[in-house]
Amino acid sequence: MQPLLLNHSFTLAIWRVSIEKLLGKKEQMSMGEGESLPLSWNDELTDKEVYCIGKIVAHWGAIEHEVFSQTLLSFENEISDVSELPSAMRSVRFSNILDLWEKRVVSKQPAERRQVLEEQLQEINKLKDMRNALVHSMLHWSPQDIGVITAS
């Protein structure tokens, strides 16, 4: 089976709900003796920002799934049990799976297909740090320079 060329226009349901919309009501935190405070969560993101972050996360997840699936299929005739898979395939580190994908899938393709997959691998590696910063960091911006966002 030939690996699919990754498609960045996956049709996926995009996460875009606030806690209040998800619950359908305002939650209350009990303060004891009949008193309560409304719970609210303000992520300080606009709907457009939430939508864009959701798209990035959904597309990245689809890319990770495709790379993982293609790599897993490359072991199909070599192993008889999941425990025989290399540790990279049983880890959550996408970069480890990317290394295996390059060795076991990309490098074994005919020239034209390999070139496209190598370009996609370069693009994934180029975007990986930005994606990780977006998903795993706290984002900060300064009113003095609103064009600069830093991740910590």
Side-chain angles (χ1 to χ4, degrees), residues 74-130:
S74 75
F75 290 97
E76 192 172 40
N77 298 320
E78 296 174 25
I79 65 167
S80 58
D81 188 69
V82 173
S83 64
E84 298 174 43
L85 285 170
S87 61
M89 291 299 294
R90 292 179 274 128
S91 122
V92 294
R93 294 199 55 166
F94 181 56
S95 57
N96 293 344
I97 295 169
L98 266 179
D99 293 340
L100 278 176
W101 184 63
E102 181 178 17
K103 290 174 192 157
R104 296 187 60 90
V105 178
V106 175
S107 67
K108 302 204 175 177
Q109 300 306 307
E112 189 176 332
R113 181 172 285 274
R114 184 175 55 248
Q115 181 182 353
V116 172
L117 292 173
E118 285 170 346
E119 289 170 8
Q120 291 175 339
L121 178 62
Q122 286 176 347
E123 190 70 17
I124 290 168
N125 281 322
K126 193 166 45 172
L127 295 172
K128 190 170 42 177
D129 289 339
M130 286 188 286

Side-chain angles (χ1 to χ4, degrees), residues 17-28 39-40:
V17 294
S18 68
I19 289 176
E20 203 169 277
K21 289 178 186 173
L22 180 66
L23 297 173
K25 59 179 177 155
K26 289 193 179 205
E27 283 292 298
Q28 301 287 317
L39 286 180
S40 66

